[in-house]
Amino acid sequence: MRLSPITSTTTTSTSKPTSRSTLTTALSAAANKKKSAAAPKETDTEIRDRILAEIDSGMRQYPSWISEYGEPEDELALDDDDDDAIDAATLGQWDEKDLEDKFDYEWDPDEGDEDPNNLDPAYEYAAPFELDEEGIEVGYDPVFGRSNPIDGRTILNPPDSYVIDAKTRDDSLVPQDFPDGDPEIKLNEDITALRKSLKIVETHTDPFLKMEVPNHAAKWHGYPEQLSFPKQDYMNNRFTKPEDATDFDKLGPARARQLAVQLARSRNNEWLPEGTSEAYHASKTAIYKEKGVITGSTLPGQADPALVAKIQPALDVLGDVVELLSIEVDTVFRFKYHGLIKNKRGMEAWAGVLIRNCDVDCTGVVFETGFRKRDPYYDGGSHWYGPY
């Protein structure tokens, strides 16, 4: 049996007809919503400018309570306004270029800036340090060092006030205490000259330090913080002469690497020219050959084969810890010691006992260690610092 498609007419029959005005309102609201979403949002600055423009044009009025808000303008105004005073508008507009200016303490020696810590030659300064009656620096502490605030930056002839200083004074602006030609003027000038010639350091008591500090001193700006190591010459600590050095900067990467490998694999490279290492070690042992004495070194000497054969049992016991270097005056035995430095004294005494047990006369045993003074790998030291 063939089934017919099921259709529903209940929705059409039961739903209410939509009016034309309702449809128009919905379409208008959707259009306005889309338009508001597409339009850019106003910033706070734009809102402020728009409100101020509406107030100026008269479209917007101040509210009634604005007169009671804040303080009246008459109370904010100064009682004695100065017409010559500098206001904010005269100073100009601040911008990012103001950050490019530097203070006195901001200076870069690498760029050639003048050192602000240099002393002004127009003034005289005190001695770098003052000595007491016993010849000891005043304020010196053996733990904390110098502490005297009166040092080489203390000014002995500070400038006077610009009102009375001879370079800047204007007699027309300063009232005269004495009439012209009064002998008191000359007397006051002599007293002022005498006071300046004494070069007395003017001081005051600092409330925090509880000590006398100078009133006039050259300001100390310090030095810039060192953020990296100073630049060194590329040929620093090299044995090669500058005229014989290979300029790797002029070579390409491939050729520079190839030449570097060749120099590294050869015995005559740029770091240690041929014969440099041999000359260094020869200089260390030259004193022994010059004086004819080998004690204190690890150089081998003469040893009687008969005595060596007699002390062979003792050498077998000592094993690889020692190595016989020489036998001096048939009773002193020199060995090269390979053991720990902390056991050196005990091993020397034990070696003497072993040699005497072989019926050999022994008046001394010397263990030579060369330049090795300690065992950094065993006593917690660092093997990068000598001497060892």
Side-chain angles (χ1 to χ4, degrees):
M1 180 174 62
R2 183 177 181 180
L3 300 176
S4 61
I6 300 175
T7 57
S8 174
T9 58
T10 57
T11 304
T12 305
S13 59
T14 57
S15 61
K16 298 180 180 179
T18 304
S19 62
R20 185 174 183 179
S21 60
T22 305
L23 182 60
T24 304
T25 304
L27 293 175
S28 177
N32 294 336
K33 184 177 181 181
K34 182 177 182 181
K35 183 178 179 180
S36 60
K41 185 179 180 180
E42 274 187 318
T43 61
D44 295 340
T45 305
E46 294 174 351
I47 295 175
R48 180 201 61 188
D49 296 340
R50 178 172 55 80
I51 294 175
L52 294 177
E54 292 176 357
I55 292 176
D56 295 339
S57 63
M59 296 176 60
R60 183 188 292 264
Q61 300 294 332
Y62 282 108
S64 58
W65 49 264
I66 194 65
S67 59
E68 302 177 358
Y69 181 78
E71 299 181 1
E73 295 182 357
D74 297 340
E75 296 182 4
L76 297 177
L78 298 177
D79 296 336
D80 49 348
D81 291 338
D82 188 2
D83 297 335
D84 298 333
I86 300 177
D87 55 358
T90 307
L91 296 177
Q93 185 67 26
W94 182 89
D95 56 6
E96 290 79 1
K97 293 184 179 179
D98 294 330
L99 298 176
E100 299 178 0
D101 297 335
K102 293 183 178 180
F103 293 96
D104 295 338
Y105 57 85
E106 294 179 336
W107 61 289
D108 190 358
D110 297 336
E111 296 182 359
D113 296 344
E114 184 180 357
D115 190 352
N117 301 309
N118 295 335
L119 300 178
D120 189 352
Y123 304 109
E124 297 182 16
Y125 300 91
F129 50 87
E130 182 183 359
L131 302 180
D132 57 10
E133 298 177 354
E134 299 179 356
I136 302 175
E137 182 180 346
V138 176
Y140 179 80
D141 188 90
V143 177
F144 301 101
R146 297 176 176 176
S147 63
N148 188 12
I150 302 176
D151 54 6
R153 304 187 69 85
T154 302
I155 299 177
L156 298 178
N157 56 340
D160 295 326
S161 173
Y162 72 96
V163 179
I164 62 175
D165 191 82
K167 299 179 182 179
T168 58
R169 69 176 295 166
D170 188 356
D171 295 335
S172 62
L173 301 178
V174 180
Q176 295 185 0
D177 296 334
F178 305 97
D180 296 338
D182 194 312
E184 192 73 17
I185 299 177
K186 182 65 172 58
L187 181 61
N188 289 339
E189 293 179 354
D190 295 342
I191 294 176
T192 303
L194 176 61
R195 176 178 58 82
K196 291 184 178 181
S197 64
L198 296 178
K199 298 180 180 179
I200 300 175
V201 179
E202 300 178 3
T203 60
H204 67 279
T205 303
D206 188 276
F208 179 76
L209 299 177
K210 307 297 183 183
M211 61 187 309
E212 298 289 332
V213 297
N215 295 348
H216 306 280
K219 188 175 182 180
W220 176 256
H221 300 280
Y223 288 94
E225 182 182 1
Q226 185 176 352
L227 302 178
S228 61
F229 291 102
K231 296 182 179 179
Q232 298 289 347
D233 185 11
Y234 181 73
M235 298 302 296
N236 186 30
N237 295 334
R238 296 206 174 199
F239 295 92
T240 305
K241 298 179 180 180
E243 58 270 14
D244 299 335
T246 302
D247 192 357
F248 288 92
D249 298 332
K250 295 183 179 179
L251 304 177
R255 176 55 185 160
R257 181 182 183 279
Q258 182 182 10
L259 182 58
V261 173
Q262 293 177 0
L263 294 175
R265 292 178 178 177
S266 64
R267 295 185 177 275
N268 183 18
N269 56 29
E270 290 193 350
W271 283 95
L272 288 176
E274 185 177 2
T276 303
S277 180
E278 291 80 354
Y280 172 79
H281 290 288
S283 64
K284 294 295 184 180
T285 58
I287 185 65
Y288 300 106
K289 297 180 181 179
E290 178 182 352
K291 301 298 181 180
V293 178
I294 59 176
T295 303
S297 68
T298 57
L299 298 176
Q302 297 180 357
D304 188 358
L307 290 177
V308 174
K310 293 186 66 175
I311 65 172
Q312 190 61 42
L315 297 179
D316 294 339
V317 174
L318 295 174
D320 297 335
V321 178
V322 298
E323 177 183 349
L324 182 63
L325 295 177
S326 65
I327 301 176
E328 306 294 336
V329 295
D330 295 337
T331 58
V332 179
F333 297 84
R334 292 178 59 247
F335 294 90
K336 183 176 181 180
Y337 178 62
H338 300 285
L340 297 177
I341 296 297
K342 64 180 182 179
N343 300 331
K344 179 182 174 183
R345 290 287 186 88
M347 291 293 294
E348 285 181 349
W350 187 40
V353 173
L354 295 177
I355 293 175
R356 295 185 187 94
N357 292 339
C358 298
D359 296 333
V360 175
D361 189 12
C362 177
T363 59
V365 176
V366 180
F367 277 9
E368 304 285 4
T369 57
F371 296 100
R372 186 168 64 97
K373 299 295 187 298
R374 52 191 284 249
D375 302 298
Y377 286 107
Y378 292 93
D379 57 10
S382 176
H383 65 283
W384 294 111
Y385 300 92
Y388 301 129

